[in-house]
């Protein structure tokens, strides 16, 4: 083989190896900007982020596409895989072990312990965490509240008074979509508000059917139904980005949603604290309902291991953590950042999470507490209850208990040592 041909071969393999195919579900304005920030940082390392974004809030579509791509031998190099589902992929040997990177970069000390544990399967680090979202967030319109002489509600009695006043003034008190995952995201927040983090976790970790008959679960369901009267009627089914745009236009006074909504409102040009503000949802002040976004590197042949490791290193670095999370609405997964660099909502999220496991509650809908089957079954029941007023709360409790009985031993209760 001539030197020219050898050289050409080298260039082709080298440039092919410099591209990473990244599958994720970030397609809203802020999500795109946040992903571009990551892609830009990779470019500085000489790696091209080939985007394989699958639209659909909460990754409903992306997960299905990932499965079919892996099954048909077209796995991406990097995938947004989050929560306990990492166990299944890791145990099948589909994920690249990032132990050397984790060791070199001191990840186990740098990350919050819950987050370091989240990315470990059978003692190996198999994913890189990029951001910590807080789901129990209530956004409100500060100017409107001042005009109406209202204070943001700190408990449900205040919430009811504020909502009634707003409604009398002809303002829709609460933004909401009837998309199933968005309804269930509201429900898990209300569940946390009623139970507190300890019982919330007990419900999902021990999965004892009887626990789901607790009056606190009943009250959370009742609250979900009663909040409907503060929403636009009929509750429109629309993507969360659309809800964000509508809230930004002032169509509703309050909105309960994970703090990716804050990222979106910022990207839409709104100023935090002036044009929108956030507080914890009533009854959840000291608690943190979390979802951690993580990327796993798919093992496929180890041909791109160097680039995958470089990407993992870069994503977890302090400067990129700060730049990316500011846009995404989440906060860094690291304990060694200066919280003064965060805005008021972010600081509250980061500081609350820092208080440790006792205040942390894993999101059901955003894949922190169960596997896909249990998550989907819970969402379906909550959605049905929300859309059909004939379904009694006690009936839902019975169905949730049945789900626990049927799927008790599936993932979510960690099978493997972290
Ligand atoms: C969550 C995810 C966030 C955001 C949101 C809306 O599951 O953690 O990053 O994308 O869904 O799609």
């Amino acid at each position: 083989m001539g030197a020219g041909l050898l050289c050409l071969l080298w260039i082709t393999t080298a440039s092919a190896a410099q591209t990473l195919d990244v599958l994720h579900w970030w397609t809203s304005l802020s999500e795109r900007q946040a992903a571009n920030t990551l892609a830009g940082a990779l470019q500085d390392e000489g790696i091209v982020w080939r985007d394989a974004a699958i639209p659909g809030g909460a990754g409903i579509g992306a997960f299905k596409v990932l499965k079919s791509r892996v099954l048909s031998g077209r796995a991406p190099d990097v995938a947004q895989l989050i929560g306990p589902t990492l166990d299944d992929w890791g145990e099948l040997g589909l994920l690249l072990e990032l132990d050397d990177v984790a060791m070199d970069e001191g990840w186990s000390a740098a990350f919050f312990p819950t987050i370091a544990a989240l990315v470990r399967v059978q003692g190996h680090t198999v994913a890189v965490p990029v951001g910590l979202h807080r789901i129990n967030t209530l956004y409100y319109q500060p100017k409107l509240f001042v005009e109406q002489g209202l204070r943001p509600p700190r408990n449900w009695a205040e919430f009811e008074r504020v909502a009634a006043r707003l409604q009398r003034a002809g303002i829709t008190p609460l933004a909401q979509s009837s998309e199933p995952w968005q309804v269930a995201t509201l429900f898990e927040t209300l569940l946390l508000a009623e139970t507190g983090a300890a019982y919330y976790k007990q419900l999902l970790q021990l999965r004892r059917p009887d626990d789901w008959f607790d009056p606190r679960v009943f009250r959370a369901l009742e609250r979900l139904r009663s909040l409907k009267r503060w929403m636009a009627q009929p509750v429109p089914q629309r993507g969360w980005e659309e809800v964000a745009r509508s809230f930004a236009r002032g169509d509703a006074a309050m909105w309960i949603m994970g703090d990716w909504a804050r990222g979106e409102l910022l990207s839409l040009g709104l100023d935090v604290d002036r044009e929108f503000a956030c507080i914890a949802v009533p009854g959840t002040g000291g608690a943190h309902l979390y979802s951690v976004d993580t990327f796993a590197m798919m093992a496929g042949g180890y041909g791109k291991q160097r680039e995958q490791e470089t990407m993992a290193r870069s994503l977890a670095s302090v400067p990129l953590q700060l730049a990316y999370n500011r846009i995404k609405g989440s906060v860094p997964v690291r304990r060694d950042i200066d919280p003064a660099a965060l805005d008021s909502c972010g600081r509250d999220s980061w500081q609350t999470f820092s208080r440790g496991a006792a205040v942390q509650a894993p999101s059901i809908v955003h894949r922190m507490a169960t596997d896909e089957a249990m998550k989907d079954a819970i969402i379906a029941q909550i959605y049905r209850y929300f859309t059909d007023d004939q379904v009694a709360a006690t009936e839902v409790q019975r169905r949730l208990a049945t789900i626990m009985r049927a799927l008790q031993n599936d993932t979510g209760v960690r099978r493997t040592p972290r």
Side-chain angles (χ1 to χ4, degrees):
M1 204 181 299
L5 185 56
L6 254 184
C7 181
L8 186 69
L9 263 181
W10 182 82
I11 292 170
T12 336
T13 17
S15 60
Q18 284 164 354
T19 296
L20 290 178
D21 194 16
V22 186
L23 189 143
H24 62 92
W25 63 84
W26 292 335
T27 52
S28 81
L29 185 63
S30 56
E31 288 175 337
R32 273 260 55 98
Q33 288 171 352
N36 288 345
T37 306
L38 302 182
L42 278 198
Q43 200 165 10
D44 295 344
E45 306 269 2
I47 299 169
V48 176
W49 163 303
R50 190 164 59 218
D51 203 75
I54 310 293
I60 308 285
F63 233 74
K64 298 196 172 96
V65 172
L66 175 64
K67 268 197 181 150
S68 75
R69 282 190 59 171
V70 170
L71 289 173
S72 62
R74 292 177 303 116
D77 304 311
V78 184
Q80 189 179 0
L81 266 176
I82 70 179
T85 40
L86 282 167
D87 279 355
D88 296 332
W89 298 83
E91 284 169 14
L92 288 170
L94 291 166
L95 309 181
L96 184 71
E97 286 166 7
L98 297 168
D99 297 329
D100 292 346
V101 179
M103 184 73 89
D104 288 354
E105 301 287 317
W107 280 4
S108 66
F111 297 159
F112 287 109
T114 304
I115 296 180
L118 201 64
V119 294
R120 257 198 312 272
V121 173
Q122 292 178 326
H124 298 287
T125 299
V126 295
V128 53
V130 287
L132 164 66
H133 277 299
R134 188 184 201 184
I135 293 170
N136 51 316
T137 311
L138 183 143
Y139 310 85
Y140 65 95
Q141 315 264 9
K143 285 186 197 154
L144 191 66
F145 271 63
V146 171
E147 271 164 36
Q148 297 291 325
L150 297 170
R151 274 207 328 227
R154 283 158 310 180
N155 54 49
W156 289 111
E158 285 182 15
F159 183 94
E160 292 294 313
R161 276 198 295 278
V162 163
R165 275 278 297 284
L166 289 161
Q167 204 167 56
R168 277 201 299 278
I171 301 157
T172 304
L174 190 60
Q176 178 66 37
S177 161
S178 64
E179 214 181 14
W181 75 263
Q182 294 189 60
V183 172
T185 297
L186 174 59
F187 171 70
E188 63 181 18
T189 305
L190 302 176
L191 184 63
L192 173 66
E194 286 299 330
T195 62
Y199 197 71
Y200 176 101
K201 270 194 284 209
Q202 178 177 319
L203 285 167
L204 292 154
Q205 283 169 355
L206 301 184
R207 299 182 178 181
R208 289 195 302 230
D210 284 354
D211 287 350
W212 288 83
F213 291 102
D214 191 278
R216 288 168 282 189
V217 178
F218 178 81
R219 285 201 298 272
L221 287 162
E222 291 265 287
R223 167 105 44 223
L224 176 65
R225 183 159 279 159
S226 78
L227 286 181
K228 271 171 84 173
R229 69 190 194 284
W230 307 126
M231 301 169 187
Q233 298 299 325
V235 182
Q237 178 144 353
R238 53 197 176 159
W240 71 272
E241 325 69 306
E242 233 179 294
V243 185
R245 284 194 292 273
S246 150
F247 181 79
R249 284 194 302 269
D251 293 346
M254 295 181 280
W255 183 25
I256 294 173
M257 179 48 79
D259 54 11
W260 46 87
R262 172 163 116 266
E264 195 71 3
L265 295 172
L266 290 170
S267 289
L268 289 168
L270 269 64
D271 273 351
V272 66
D273 293 335
R274 212 169 58 78
E275 288 169 300
F276 77 97
C278 30
I279 50 169
V281 168
T284 69
H288 197 295
L289 184 57
Y290 67 89
S291 175
V292 181
D293 280 317
T294 55
F295 280 104
M297 310 293 155
M298 307 304 286
Y302 301 98
K304 295 189 176 176
Q305 183 168 355
R306 194 187 59 78
E307 288 77 9
Q308 288 168 313
E309 287 178 351
T310 305
M311 175 169 175
R313 215 181 286 275
S314 161
L315 262 45
S317 70
V318 173
L320 194 52
Q321 281 280 303
L322 287 171
Y324 156 85
N325 281 297
R326 196 172 292 129
I327 301 171
K328 185 66 170 63
S330 38
V331 294
V333 295
R334 306 183 62 112
R335 297 194 278 183
D336 56 355
I337 58 118
D338 179 2
L342 310 175
D343 69 16
S344 54
C345 310
R347 204 157 41 245
D348 191 38
S349 163
W350 191 89
Q351 284 171 337
T352 305
F353 198 82
S354 311
R355 291 192 197 114
V359 304
Q360 299 166 357
S363 164
I364 304 166
V365 179
H366 301 277
R367 300 194 172 85
M368 294 293 122
T370 76
D371 68 349
E372 290 292 287
M374 185 178 275
K375 162 184 87 72
D376 290 343
I378 295 174
I379 293 178
Q381 291 310 325
I382 300 300
Y383 175 66
R384 188 162 162 259
Y385 168 77
F386 183 79
T387 46
D388 182 356
D389 287 342
Q390 300 308 309
V391 180
T394 47
E395 171 64 13
V396 182
Q397 287 180 280
R398 205 180 53 71
R399 284 164 186 251
L400 292 172
T402 307
I403 293 171
M404 295 302 134
R405 202 170 295 119
L407 301 174
Q408 210 152 26
N409 296 321
D410 289 3
T411 42
V413 176
R414 295 296 202 175
R415 291 191 303 256
T416 53
R418 299 265 112 197

